[in-house]
Amino acid sequence: MRLLITTDTVGGVWTYTKELTEGLLVRGNEVILISMGRAPSPDQRAWTRRMCVKWPGCFRYLPTEHALEWMQQNEGCYRQAEAVLMEQVESFAPDLLHLNQYCYGSLPTDLPKVVMAHSDVMSWSECCRGGQPGDSPWLRQYLRVVREGLANADALVAPSRWMMEALARNYALPAHCAVIANGRAVAGRNEKTARKLQAVTVGRVWDEGKNVRVLEEAESPMPVLVAGELALEAEPPFASSRLRLLGQLSEEAALTLFAQSAIYIATSLYEPFGLAPVEAALSGCAIVAHDIPSFREVWGESALYFSHAEELSAILHALYADRVLLQRVAARVRARARSLYSQDAMVEKYLDLYASLGARVDLVEAEHAS
């Protein structure tokens, strides 16, 4: 099968797309990957070069910097990209389009179009600001292109039931909807490597949805490390000296950090799924998560949950004092992540979805490229 997949270089969508692309290639499919948002980073470029070498003739990459729907300058987010995407539909001749932006569901083609819902401005505003955003030309443009993309998509995928239900509150959804959890392949950690008694989190410090500031209010008996993009401001984002800001890390550096740490704190107010906690769990971290419905759905009873800074402080002190409890929580979340959120599980569910839409799916044993 030949797939055209869109992605963006700004957030977790890139990691998700990498996992999906690699899983599809291993199973004998061909992929052209087209990125939006901003120029790819050196690490992202390096990955695409490795894929081209590893999968000659089966993988192609086309970077663009077309605006994403949620960006403030979103006037041409669909129009600018339509010609590029349709040109690739003509030249690459895919069997199916897997679109990681809503608006591209409107592409004028009869090919099956799968739209993946990673997040949404309306549900973000409901969770982070207690209601819908105020009217503006930017919001009207966003809503128009999202609604048109959903209306013309053949299938909509969300990574959690919570996200699908959030979308249903604000939009008319396609007849074919599926919940497919994100998956991740993380190499096993060398257990002889010492694990530090420290807590970590990953999140854009400037994004109120990530709620990283709750860490400043909590009291921790252990170091707390924060990795993620910092806002461009003169003043430090935190007054607390207890927090160590690492800035934005490469994927390899983040996974190394997880493998060296005991606890991952998932702080988000808004998180349709959360790949970073999955990576941390697979790396052996215990998960302490903000008590929101999507985290409850993803982690069930395996994680520990907090609603405010005082509860977070109590949990961190309890885990610091009770290493048996710490190991038990880490083992629970790792087992759940391995069972439900693997790359293989995700890719197989997508292949089933593609087949249900009439796409030609040629299954190849995954071992052929090991």
Side-chain angles (χ1 to χ4, degrees):
M1 175 171 54
R2 296 163 69 85
L3 297 101
L4 183 153
I5 302 177
T6 65
T7 187
D8 77 56
T9 57
V10 177
V13 177
W14 179 267
T15 302
Y16 156 87
T17 309
K18 281 179 51 184
E19 292 292 324
L20 178 62
T21 297
E22 291 178 3
L24 291 169
L25 290 169
V26 165
R27 288 161 177 79
N29 301 285
E30 298 178 38
V31 172
I32 181 168
L33 181 64
I34 304 175
S35 65
M36 315 291 176
R38 64 187 178 196
S41 69
D43 286 341
Q44 292 168 336
R45 282 281 194 183
W47 176 80
T48 61
R49 287 194 296 268
R50 290 196 300 272
M51 290 298 101
C52 288
V53 171
K54 186 175 182 179
W55 303 100
C58 295
F59 175 78
R60 308 179 198 178
Y61 174 58
L62 176 63
T64 79
E65 297 182 46
H66 296 308
L68 301 170
E69 299 139 333
W70 52 265
M71 290 180 166
Q72 285 300 313
Q73 303 302 321
N74 66 354
E75 296 88 349
C77 61
Y78 172 79
R79 185 182 66 255
Q80 293 170 358
E82 180 186 21
V84 172
L85 293 172
M86 291 308 298
E87 180 180 341
Q88 296 305 316
V89 166
E90 183 69 23
S91 60
F92 183 67
D95 300 298
L96 179 140
L97 309 185
H98 184 116
L99 307 165
N100 287 293
Q101 295 80 23
Y102 298 104
C103 64
Y104 302 142
S106 295
L107 289 172
T109 174
D110 293 331
L111 293 171
K113 291 176 288 186
V114 174
V115 168
M116 172 59 174
H118 293 278
S119 62
D120 164 58
V121 165
M122 301 297 281
S123 53
W124 180 93
S125 184
E126 290 168 354
C127 290
C128 299
R129 297 185 176 176
Q132 296 185 350
D135 182 51
S136 68
W138 163 79
L139 181 64
R140 290 195 294 273
Q141 168 70 357
Y142 174 84
L143 292 174
R144 183 182 68 79
V145 297
V146 170
R147 287 167 177 161
E148 290 177 358
L150 289 171
N152 289 284
D154 294 286
L156 172 67
V157 177
S160 61
R161 292 189 304 277
W162 180 88
M163 185 66 214
M164 190 68 78
E165 292 167 359
L167 290 170
R169 289 196 299 270
N170 294 303
Y171 307 100
L173 304 187
H176 196 147
C177 294
V179 173
I180 301 178
N182 293 340
R184 194 73 168 91
V186 174
R189 171 184 176 271
N190 182 355
E191 293 301 330
K192 295 181 180 179
T193 303
R195 188 180 291 276
K196 301 174 184 177
L197 193 55
Q198 62 188 22
V200 301
T201 196
V202 174
R204 295 180 293 272
V205 173
W206 51 265
D207 184 349
E208 62 196 274
K210 297 301 181 184
N211 192 35
V212 176
R213 291 188 178 276
V214 72
L215 300 176
E216 189 176 27
E217 302 169 10
E219 294 185 2
S220 173
M222 68 191 83
V224 178
L225 285 62
V226 179
E229 191 174 55
L230 303 176
L232 298 176
E233 53 189 20
E235 294 297 323
F238 298 115
S240 173
S241 60
R242 293 192 299 268
L243 302 181
R244 180 182 168 197
L245 299 180
L246 304 178
Q248 191 160 6
L249 300 181
S250 68
E251 177 183 316
E252 182 178 356
L255 292 176
T256 298
L257 177 65
F258 297 156
Q260 294 173 344
S261 303
I263 298 168
Y264 184 93
I265 307 174
T267 58
S268 297
L269 294 170
Y270 175 78
E271 193 66 76
F273 182 80
L275 265 177
V278 170
E279 294 172 343
L282 291 171
S283 300
C285 294
I287 301 298
V288 178
H290 191 211
D291 196 355
I292 58 175
S294 56
F295 280 151
R296 284 281 183 179
E297 179 182 342
V298 171
W299 294 108
E301 297 305 312
S302 66
L304 299 179
Y305 297 93
F306 67 92
S307 297
H308 45 75
E310 291 79 7
E311 285 185 350
L312 174 57
S313 300
I315 291 171
L316 293 177
H317 280 276
L319 293 175
Y320 184 82
D322 190 342
R323 308 302 164 82
V324 174
L325 173 62
L326 176 61
Q327 292 173 1
R328 187 182 304 133
V329 176
R332 288 199 311 248
V333 295
R334 175 182 270 184
R336 186 173 177 91
R338 285 176 170 174
S339 173
L340 299 178
Y341 310 129
S342 69
Q343 181 195 68
D344 285 343
M346 176 181 70
V347 174
E348 292 302 327
K349 289 177 182 177
Y350 273 112
L351 288 171
D352 289 343
L353 173 64
Y354 300 157
S356 74
L357 297 174
R360 177 179 58 83
V361 175
D362 299 323
L363 298 180
V364 176
E365 290 298 323
E367 289 77 14
H368 90 278
S370 300

